[in-house]
Amino acid sequence: MSDTLPVLYSFRRCPYAMRARLALHASGLAYEHREVVLKNKPAHMLALSPKGTVPVLWLRAAAGDQVLEQSLDIVLWALHQHDPLGWLPGTEAAMADALALIGHNDGPFKQQLDRYKYPNRSGLASGVADRDAAALWLHTLDARLRSQPFLTGDRFGLADAAIAPFVRQYAHTDPGWFAQQSWLALAAWLAAFEASALFEAIMHKHAPWQDGQGS
């Protein structure tokens, strides 16, 4: 493995790490994948990013290393290096729209998703109230997808890649309930994402990386 390639510390099922891998794969950039065991995080990753969450992208360069600790920063970095599929919105207004969707996903929706999926962690007997609150936003996404194939237009792009892993996590929390809801366009969009070659490519299993395998 080249000692100049970017290094991505990742965890297969983490939706934040998924979005980073999606963008890196779409960009076509070569990088080194280091799979993390969350209960035994590599010391090197923690030295780079003491917050201890994935993904972390380590950019190695003669002019000085750089560490990207936020998934959206990794996504935008990768796509600004190379965007052969045209995922980046073409206008300021379109970019603002995409970032607003991602902002709601990463803020209110993710908080509701966590409380729905893990109610006990928040001292709740049930996550149903948060499930239903989150569903209100998913219905707005469904409305978009009834009028266009993807969240911001006619092709899969930044907003789809950034949001789909989180909608997937929501859907898989109670698949039977999710399937009974009226968001047919949203469900079809999610199913197409999960069946895509892109999703298959970023979900390959990797052996856990351990300190000492590289630096």
Side-chain angles (χ1 to χ4, degrees), residues 57-146:
L57 187 66
W58 176 31
L59 301 173
R60 299 181 281 186
D65 291 356
Q66 182 181 2
V67 177
L68 299 181
E69 301 179 275
Q70 301 297 329
S71 62
L72 187 57
D73 290 341
I74 295 171
V75 168
L76 293 174
W77 176 85
L79 296 178
H80 279 114
Q81 302 304 306
H82 195 218
D83 184 22
L85 302 180
W87 280 16
L88 288 172
T91 67
E92 288 187 12
M95 176 61 87
D97 181 42
L99 292 178
L101 289 173
I102 296 167
H104 188 96
N105 178 86
D106 292 7
F109 178 73
K110 182 59 166 64
Q111 293 166 9
Q112 292 156 351
L113 169 58
D114 286 346
R115 288 162 65 92
Y116 169 37
K117 187 173 176 65
Y118 308 108
N120 292 341
R121 294 182 184 179
S122 299
L124 300 173
S126 166
V128 169
D130 286 279
R131 178 199 71 187
D132 293 346
L136 296 176
W137 185 62
L138 292 183
H139 280 294
T140 72
L141 297 187
D142 180 69
R144 280 180 174 249
L145 294 166
R146 288 200 303 267

Side-chain angles (χ1 to χ4, degrees), residues 163-188:
I163 293 171
F166 296 85
V167 178
R168 176 180 181 272
Q169 190 176 67
Y170 179 98
H172 283 241
T173 300
D174 186 343
W177 179 87
F178 186 88
Q180 293 171 359
Q181 305 312 302
S182 61
W183 41 47
L184 299 183
L186 178 75

